[in-house]
Amino acid sequence: MSGKILVVDDEKHIRMLYQEELEGEGYQVVVSDGEDDILPLLEKVSPDVVVLDIKLGGNRSGLDLLQEIRGKDQAIPVILSTAYDSFQHDLKSIAADYYVVKSVDLGELKSKVAQAMAKATAAAS
């Protein structure tokens, strides 16, 4: 498997864990703490898939970043990742392709990433 994933999460240990696990699956992974503006970062990284935390540090919201991403690119698959499943019912979250509740078992995340990567590959061809 190959493909580039952008992981945006304010927690360093989550970024490191996701990066290690997803690189172990054969993906190229770029991480961000969410402090950088998302659109220039997307242009620089040009990921196939974005994994986006909903609650970022400070006043940053992954749901707001999702809206920015969708304003620029409707096609890129976005996986919302959060510790809170209540956000699944937030209207802003419907713009995401997939939704994963954070867990010590990364099986669901890896499965959603594989689905998102397949969707990105199909859209590119």
Side-chain angles (χ1 to χ4, degrees):
M1 251 183 242
S2 64
K4 190 184 290 185
I5 302 167
L6 172 61
V7 173
V8 181
D9 198 298
D10 62 328
E11 295 178 62
K12 184 176 183 178
H13 68 279
I14 296 288
R15 290 193 306 271
M16 290 171 57
L17 176 65
Y18 283 11
Q19 182 171 26
E20 184 177 310
E21 290 288 326
L22 293 170
E23 285 177 348
E25 296 287 313
Y27 300 112
Q28 182 182 353
V29 180
V30 177
V31 296
S32 168
D33 61 8
E35 293 296 315
D36 301 321
D37 286 337
I38 195 71
L39 296 181
L41 185 60
L42 283 177
E43 229 167 270
K44 178 179 161 191
V45 173
S46 54
D48 299 300
V49 173
V50 176
V51 177
L52 184 59
D53 185 19
I54 290 180
K55 282 202 172 234
L56 298 169
N59 296 329
R60 308 280 296 172
S61 163
L63 294 175
D64 292 339
L65 294 185
L66 174 61
Q67 299 304 310
E68 288 182 49
I69 292 168
R70 285 295 174 242
K72 174 94 169 123
D73 187 341
Q74 290 288 324
I76 187 169
V78 177
I79 301 169
L80 285 179
S81 170
T82 183
Y84 311 97
D85 64 358
S86 61
F87 282 102
Q88 201 162 356
H89 307 293
D90 188 307
L91 282 179
K92 286 183 181 177
S93 72
I94 63 171
D97 297 275
Y98 305 97
Y99 190 94
V100 176
V101 177
K102 288 179 183 175
S103 165
V104 291
D105 175 10
L106 295 183
E108 186 183 7
L109 175 67
K110 290 177 184 179
S111 170
K112 298 295 186 201
V113 165
Q115 290 174 31
M117 204 56 77
K119 182 177 180 176
T121 304
S125 54

